[in-house]
Amino acid sequence: MLNYEYKSKRTVCGIPLIHINIGIGKTAKGIVAIGFKSVGVISIGLLSLGLLSIGLLALGFLGLGIMGIGFFGFGAFALGLLSGGAISFGIMSFGVLSCGAVSIGQFAVGALAKGHYFAFGDTAAAMVALGATKAHGTLYSYFTGIQNSFSGYDANAVISILENNVPSALKWLMNITLSMVGVQ
């Protein structure tokens, strides 16, 4: 059986600066933690929990992994306030700004985008929806009918509708999203 452990002599508030604990059923706990299961400020492992978390299942302020969950979640499956991945969920549904092949959030960008306020993608649904082949918007819809083509919509109308409907606390995310997709 694979079993290895290293624990640094240097500690911060009694917590090892570096703890590497690799083995079945073992957990690494330290400022920097590396192991199958790891808990630390910087955490790397199959199951990882920390401020910066990297692993198969990563939970943290910044979660990077096959399944990344955190304030910023990135991975094949991502969940977070700001998230990006093949399947991505962001704030009310699961997150605020979401980018991915399948994207759900307040502001969603992806092949299949479902947003509350804004959606941009091949198929888009939201209050304001800009789609290439399909769009369903409750206040504004535009679709080109041509894959990968996103021209011809009224940018001023899009911006005006969003300005009047998006809460002021989310306007910075609205601006990031609109810049990201080229609505100006």
Side-chain angles (χ1 to χ4, degrees):
M1 289 288 216
L2 177 66
N3 195 13
Y4 173 80
E5 183 173 18
Y6 168 79
K7 197 181 280 192
S8 67
K9 293 182 195 299
R10 186 166 277 174
T11 63
V12 176
C13 298
I15 300 168
L17 183 61
I18 298 171
H19 188 196
I20 300 169
N21 197 359
I22 299 171
I24 304 298
K26 305 286 184 173
T27 301
K29 295 179 182 176
I31 303 300
V32 175
I34 301 170
F36 290 154
K37 293 186 291 182
S38 60
V39 178
V41 175
I42 298 173
S43 178
I44 301 168
L46 296 176
L47 300 173
S48 176
L49 175 66
L51 191 61
L52 169 59
S53 189
I54 301 169
L56 184 66
L57 172 58
L59 276 82
F61 181 76
L62 173 58
L64 307 168
I66 300 298
M67 183 173 192
I69 301 171
F71 184 83
F72 299 100
F74 299 96
F77 178 84
L79 176 76
L81 188 62
L82 299 172
S83 61
I87 298 174
S88 180
F89 297 93
I91 222 169
M92 283 309 261
S93 313
F94 286 94
V96 176
L97 173 58
S98 178
C99 301
V102 175
S103 181
I104 300 170
Q106 297 294 326
F107 304 93
V109 178
L112 174 59
K114 171 65 175 108
H116 179 76
Y117 296 107
F118 180 77
F120 182 92
D122 186 57
T123 300
M127 191 179 292
V128 174
L130 302 177
T133 56
K134 290 183 184 176
H136 176 71
T138 54
L139 297 179
Y140 184 89
S141 290
Y142 183 82
F143 71 96
T144 62
I146 304 166
Q147 270 189 326
N148 302 321
S149 176
F150 295 97
S151 60
Y153 58 88
D154 183 352
N156 292 329
V158 168
I159 292 168
S160 176
I161 292 167
L162 291 172
E163 283 289 338
N164 292 326
N165 289 285
V166 172
S168 58
L170 297 179
K171 294 236 170 135
W172 66 279
L173 284 169
M174 175 191 79
N175 292 330
I176 289 172
T177 306
L178 295 178
S179 293
M180 186 171 67
V181 299
V183 175
Q184 300 171 13

